Structures are given as structure tokens and as C-alpha cells.
Amino acid sequence: MESVATATRSKTVTNEIFLIFLLASIQFTNIMDFMIMFPLQDYFLKQFHINTAMFSLILSSYSFAAAIAALVGANFIDRFNRKSAAIFLYSGFLIGTALCAVAHTYSFLLIARVIAGIFGGMMSGIVLSIIGDVFPIEKRGKAMGGVMGAFSAASVLGVPSGIRIAIHFGWNYTFGFIVAIGIPILAFAILYLPSLPSKMEKTPIADFSQLGKVLSDPAHLRALVFFMAVILGGFTVVTSIAVYMERNMGFSKHDVSRIYEIGGICTFASSWLVGFLSDKFGKHRIFMFLVLLAILPILSITHLPQDLPVPLALVVTTFFMILVSGRVIPAMALMTSSIRPEIRGSFMSVNSSMQSVATGLGALLAGAILVQLPNGTFERFDIVGYLAVGFNLLALYLSRKVKVVS
């Protein structure tokens, strides 16, 4: 009997690891599709003859489209099997990314990003809902850390590969690359994602009561504002790092690729560690610790002297990526644990909407603050850094208002 129990536990662990890997793979392509826009910014500025504000519109169009789709989806997402919803949304995301691959004008690319945003933005909410449904709270931090490792993998493997493809073949091929690796992931999702039927009673699709349940609870609103502050605390800076390093610091495109490679390798390891520490010492405590530490690289990266050697600049960018991405893991675990299971999907869909609003707002704020000089360099990046610090301190305050219920 003991050997049977041991084998059962081993199989359960294996299945859990595979599920985390599959969900992380979905997030990998989703995150890469979004992140690759940052290092490709210089290509867009030159090819389409646009300024940073117009580029910010491309970023924010994706985010705001995702926000609207997620908000609408919150009304019915819990009425569907999680697996069916994930497959549908991931298929739409790949179609939108394929349109980016064939875009040849600014307007076409803008429309393609909106389509990708509609499906990609809701995708994150479904992934997090699956984690919340499958993993008990004592394992949720590790599961979140594993899926958040997709950010690191996108940094280490996806973004650098996308940059190299853009250098040798053109930026359109970078999006084609994402579609090429996304198709087999979709096949695995169809075959192996667990079926998670709706826990809700059957109600009309047009019923907006589920959205009302999410937005009428003050605890939910606190959690939503908290996570928006977390996103703004990093995203206001993240949007401009690549182009700032190229124009102001003299980085080559290969140097920019190294930012994501080195930072991604380190955050891949740190994501699992942060997830473990969050489970062991508490989500609130680890979040506070990481936020306070993250202020240092935020201020450093936005005040770099132009004569700083590339290796030292890479040290700063690496610590920035480790700590800024690390904050999100305990924040995610806190948030998913503050929602009752029967409305978790709807809440996470609303949260995806608010997260997208935060990313779009962050892009617009950074684009509005940064000023491009006649020589092509940018100024006022320091102001962007101060703004990010303010959002982090707000998130730290709000984290104490988020209460765990499940």
C-alpha cells in the first residue's frame, strides 16, 4: 500500500510540474509577444517615421484592447470550462500575432496589436485562474513562481532570439517566430490541459451580475488597485529601457539582447526562490522586502551616466529585472488568495483588464514624459524613475489592505 501511495504522490507531482510548464509555455509566447515590442522600438521609430508618443500608442492600444476584452469577459468567463476558454483565447492570440507578422504600415500594425491584445490580455487571467483552481494555497506561491518563470524564459530565450531575427531578417519575422512556436503549444494545450468545468449555475451570457459581484466588494477593489500600482511601479520604466540604452548609453542591438539574456537567466532562478520564500515566510513580508530593494535599481537605471561601461550598466539592468519582476510573484499570490474560488475567474479577468490599463497608462506616461532631443537621445528619464518609486510605495501601502481568504 505504501508503494502505491508513493507512486500516486510521484505521479501527482509530475502532473503538477507538467501543468506548470504548459501554462508557463503559454505565458512565454504571450509575454514575448508583448516584451519584444520594447527592443524593436528603434525599428518602428525609423521605419514608420514616428515619435515616442506614437510608439506608446502602439503599446497602449494592445493594453487598452486587452483591458476592454477582459472587462467584458469577466461577465461570462466563469461560465465556461477553463480549458475551452484557454484554447479559444490562445488561438485568437496567435491569429493576432500572425497579423503583426504581415503588417507593413503603422495603421496595419496598430490594428494587429489591438487584435492580439483582445485575446492575449484575457489569456493571463485564465492561466492564473487555472492555477488558483488546481493548486491549494500552500502550493500556490511555487506555482506562481513557476509560471512567472515564463517572464525569465521570454527574456533569456524569446526576446534575444526575436532581436537576432529582426537584425538578420526584419522585425516582421520576429512575430512569425512567435506564431511558429505557439502552434505546438496550442496542440499540447488541447491534449493535456485539465478540464475544469464551471462551478457556477447556468445563467444567461448577457447577465452582468458576475461583474457586479466583483466590483461591488471593497476587498476586490483594494486588490485591483493594489496590483495596478505594482504594474505601474515597474512598467513606467520598462517601456523605455531598450531605446534609452541604445540612444543614450551607446548600446548596440546585441548589447540590448544581453540585457534580456543575463537578466532573464537570473530572474529565472530568482522566480522559483521568491515563490518558495513567499510560501515559507509569508506573501506580505516578502513583497515588502522586494519593493524596498527594487527602489535602488529603479533609481539607478534612470540616472545612469552616459560614460558608464556596458558591463556595469548590465549589472544595474539585471538587478532591476530580478527585483522588479520578483515583486509580482508574492503580489499575484496575495491577490489570487484574496478571492473566493467561485468568482476567481471573473475577478482575474477584471484584474487582467486593470493590469492592461496600468500597462497602457505606464506606456503613455513614459512616452509623454520622455523628450527626444535633436541628436536622437532622450532626457527626463529620471522623472520616470521618481514616478515609478511613487507607485511602488503606494503598492506597499495597499498590500496591507489585501486579506487572504482562500
Side-chain angles (χ1 to χ4, degrees):
M1 291 294 293
E2 184 177 349
S3 61
V4 173
T6 302
T8 301
R9 286 195 299 269
S10 177
K11 183 178 180 180
T12 299
V13 171
T14 300
N15 290 340
E16 289 177 348
I17 292 174
F18 179 77
L19 177 59
I20 292 173
F21 178 77
L22 180 56
L23 294 174
S25 298
I26 292 172
Q27 284 292 78
F28 168 81
T29 49
N30 197 359
I31 293 169
M32 180 183 170
D33 174 80
F34 188 65
M35 285 182 60
I36 196 62
M37 294 295 292
F38 308 143
L40 294 183
Q41 179 174 354
D42 195 51
Y43 288 96
F44 300 135
L45 295 180
K46 292 177 179 177
Q47 178 170 333
F48 298 133
H49 305 290
I50 58 177
N51 55 30
T52 54
M54 292 180 72
F55 173 75
S56 296
L57 181 60
I58 295 179
L59 290 179
S60 59
S61 66
Y62 177 102
S63 300
F64 292 139
I68 294 171
L71 195 60
V72 173
N75 297 293
F76 56 82
I77 199 68
D78 279 319
R79 297 181 172 89
F80 294 96
N81 188 298
R82 300 277 195 239
K83 177 176 181 177
S84 301
I87 292 170
F88 171 76
L89 293 173
Y90 194 57
S91 299
F93 160 74
L94 292 178
I95 291 172
T97 304
L99 291 175
C100 294
V102 297
H104 59 285
T105 65
Y106 176 81
S107 299
F108 193 112
L109 180 62
L110 195 63
I111 294 171
R113 295 309 295 165
V114 168
I115 295 173
I118 289 172
F119 294 96
M122 292 183 66
M123 195 65 241
S124 296
I126 283 293
V127 168
L128 296 176
S129 297
I130 291 173
I131 291 176
D133 287 346
V134 173
F135 294 92
I137 186 159
E138 62 271 13
K139 294 183 178 182
R140 207 168 288 156
K142 294 177 184 177
M144 287 292 179
V147 173
M148 284 300 297
F151 170 83
S152 306
S155 300
V156 177
L157 302 173
V159 174
S161 298
I163 293 174
R164 292 191 179 96
I165 291 171
I167 291 172
H168 295 292
F169 302 103
W171 61 265
N172 299 80
Y173 286 86
T174 298
F175 292 102
F177 171 71
I178 296 172
V179 175
I181 59 179
I183 290 174
I185 293 173
L186 175 61
F188 275 105
I190 293 171
L191 293 172
Y192 297 112
L193 271 184
S195 179
L196 298 169
S198 171
K199 299 177 182 179
M200 294 179 57
E201 297 179 1
K202 296 298 181 181
T203 55
I205 294 297
D207 180 18
F208 284 80
S209 60
Q210 195 72 353
L211 180 61
K213 289 179 182 178
V214 173
L215 296 180
S216 62
D217 191 328
H220 295 170
L221 296 178
R222 286 193 295 268
L224 291 170
V225 175
F226 157 67
F227 201 69
M228 286 183 70
V230 172
I231 297 302
L232 284 165
F235 202 79
T236 46
V237 176
V238 167
T239 53
S240 304
I241 288 178
V243 72
Y244 185 84
M245 289 298 175
E246 284 190 54
R247 300 287 185 90
N248 286 57
M249 302 299 296
F251 272 41
S252 67
K253 295 190 185 302
H254 290 287
D255 290 331
V256 170
S257 177
R258 290 164 64 192
I259 292 177
Y260 295 95
E261 288 174 343
I262 298 173
I265 290 171
C266 294
T267 53
F268 180 77
S270 65
S271 292
W272 290 91
L273 177 61
V274 169
F276 170 78
L277 293 176
S278 296
D279 288 339
K280 184 174 179 63
F281 296 106
K283 281 74 174 174
H284 282 109
R285 182 179 300 177
I286 296 302
F287 177 74
M288 179 182 68
F289 178 72
L290 290 173
V291 165
L292 294 177
L293 278 183
I295 290 175
L296 296 176
I298 288 173
L299 292 177
S300 298
I301 205 170
T302 54
H303 290 77
L304 291 177
Q306 292 189 3
D307 58 348
L308 188 70
V310 170
L312 291 180
L314 287 172
V315 171
V316 176
T317 58
T318 299
F319 275 103
F320 173 87
M321 293 178 72
I322 290 173
L323 295 172
V324 170
S325 64
R327 304 165 311 137
V328 180
I329 296 170
M332 282 280 194
L334 270 175
M335 189 174 54
T336 56
S337 301
S338 68
I339 310 303
R340 298 191 309 276
E342 64 270 18
I343 61 169
R344 184 173 285 133
S346 295
F347 175 86
M348 294 311 297
S349 187
V350 173
N351 179 66
S352 292
S353 176
M354 296 300 100
Q355 181 180 343
S356 296
V357 169
T359 57
L361 181 60
L364 290 178
L365 286 172
I369 293 172
L370 283 178
V371 175
Q372 184 173 344
L373 301 177
N375 63 1
T377 61
F378 296 93
E379 63 177 7
R380 295 170 65 180
F381 200 31
D382 56 334
I383 297 177
V384 175
Y386 295 135
L387 184 63
V389 170
F391 283 123
N392 273 286
L393 295 178
L394 175 62
L396 187 59
Y397 167 76
L398 292 173
S399 69
R400 309 307 301 178
K401 308 295 183 180
V402 179
K403 306 300 181 184
V404 173
V405 297
S406 65

